[in-house]
Amino acid sequence: MRCGEIAERLDERLRTDEYADVDASANGLQVGPADRDIARVAVAVDTAVSTIEQAESAQADLLVAHHGISWGGIDRVTGTAYRRLAPLIDDGMALYVSHLPLDGHQRLGNAAGLAELLELQNTEPFGELGPVHVGQRGHAPDAYSVDALHNLLAGELPHGGEGVQVLDFGPNKIEDIAIVTGSGVDWLEEAAESGADAFVTGEGKQKAYHLAKEHGIHVFLAGHYATETFGVKSLQDLLEGWGLKTTFIHEPTGL
């Protein structure tokens, strides 16, 4: 399958254009010849020197990543930017990126995958960002305790041994859960105002402690990387369904 066709299919499936005005990431095909034939695809959360090298070792023709290398443009191709771009260009490996579209997709996205892990029902879009959403909210039919939800997240997510932090300020029973993966703590107040008992995200900020305490909501900080493997794994399944061979590159950051 040609690279350009893969990119077009992914853009259509992920509704990439709808996020163009709200996402700093240059989503879509960031590097590579659109007319190249693609046989093997590597998927990864991050585009970094090490993940590119691993994609090369796997003989991938295309790397599909959540975090790319162009955030509002590339001013100079020196230093780290050069070390990332040079092997892609030298080997003719393409790079496709989906940032916020892959966070917010209600079936393939990171939040959707985490909601499925938590077995949430009646899920709906959550986390407003202009005209789009970057998360998901749902109902747990069997209420979680704080310890039960913490243990599930800590046991199932690849947090690199760093564990899951909890701001324990909500009710004893956790039924309504809002999710924005990665650096999603800015949607904490929206979660509280929506009536959620708990908010699950990747990483926190200082203000989250007092906001959670004042709003009476639990906050689970489960790791940026750990909460964002779901989307690229969903794309891996999708690509395999299109007849492509795939490799998942796993490099947890512990952050």
Side-chain angles (χ1 to χ4, degrees):
M1 187 181 297
R2 293 295 180 93
C3 182
E5 182 182 353
I6 294 171
E8 289 176 2
R9 286 191 183 190
L10 290 174
D11 283 344
E12 180 179 2
R13 188 67 61 92
L14 296 169
R15 303 175 12 247
T16 300
D17 288 347
E18 296 181 23
Y19 290 78
D21 293 334
V22 298
D23 197 348
S25 173
N27 296 310
L29 188 62
Q30 283 194 358
V31 179
D35 60 350
R36 179 175 181 178
D37 286 326
I38 303 297
R40 180 176 291 276
V41 182
V43 302
V45 174
D46 300 311
T47 305
V49 172
S50 60
T51 55
I52 292 169
E53 289 175 344
Q54 291 175 69
E56 287 181 307
S57 297
Q59 299 182 321
D61 307 304
L62 168 66
L63 174 61
V64 173
H66 180 48
H67 301 130
I69 58 177
S70 178
W71 302 86
I74 300 174
D75 294 328
R76 299 176 187 272
V77 183
T78 60
T80 300
Y82 178 82
R83 293 179 63 204
R84 292 175 177 176
L85 280 168
L88 293 172
I89 295 171
D90 289 346
D91 293 344
M93 187 193 305
L95 171 65
Y96 180 92
V97 172
S98 185
H99 183 230
L100 294 184
L102 194 55
D103 284 322
H105 195 280
Q106 295 299 295
R107 187 175 66 82
L108 300 172
N110 288 314
L114 187 49
E116 183 177 356
L117 173 67
L118 301 182
E119 299 183 340
L120 301 187
Q121 297 180 358
N122 302 320
T123 56
E124 60 185 20
F126 173 80
E128 290 187 7
L129 185 62
V132 295
H133 292 83
V134 293
Q136 195 169 95
R137 181 184 170 194
H139 178 78
D142 296 319
Y144 287 103
S145 66
V146 173
D147 287 343
L149 184 51
H150 172 268
N151 291 339
L152 176 59
L153 293 170
E156 295 292 333
L157 298 183
H159 49 72
E162 295 301 314
V164 175
Q165 290 181 284
V166 183
L167 304 179
D168 184 2
F169 296 118
N172 292 330
K173 291 185 177 180
I174 299 174
E175 296 177 311
D176 292 303
I177 301 174
I179 302 168
V180 177
T181 60
S183 183
V185 77
D186 288 341
W187 283 272
L188 169 56
E189 285 191 280
E190 182 182 334
E193 291 168 0
S194 73
D197 303 314
F199 179 57
V200 180
T201 188
E203 59 185 279
K205 298 178 181 178
Q206 173 71 8
K207 66 178 183 179
Y209 176 90
H210 295 289
L211 287 174
K213 186 176 182 179
E214 290 161 2
H215 284 285
I217 185 173
H218 301 295
V219 178
F220 293 80
L221 306 174
H224 195 130
Y225 178 93
T227 59
E228 294 197 328
T229 62
F230 296 97
V232 291
K233 287 183 176 180
S234 292
L235 295 187
Q236 181 180 18
D237 292 339
L238 185 66
L239 292 162
E240 288 182 351
W242 295 345
L244 296 160
K245 297 179 180 179
T246 68
T247 300
F248 173 60
I249 297 172
H250 181 46
E251 189 163 336
T253 64
L255 301 173

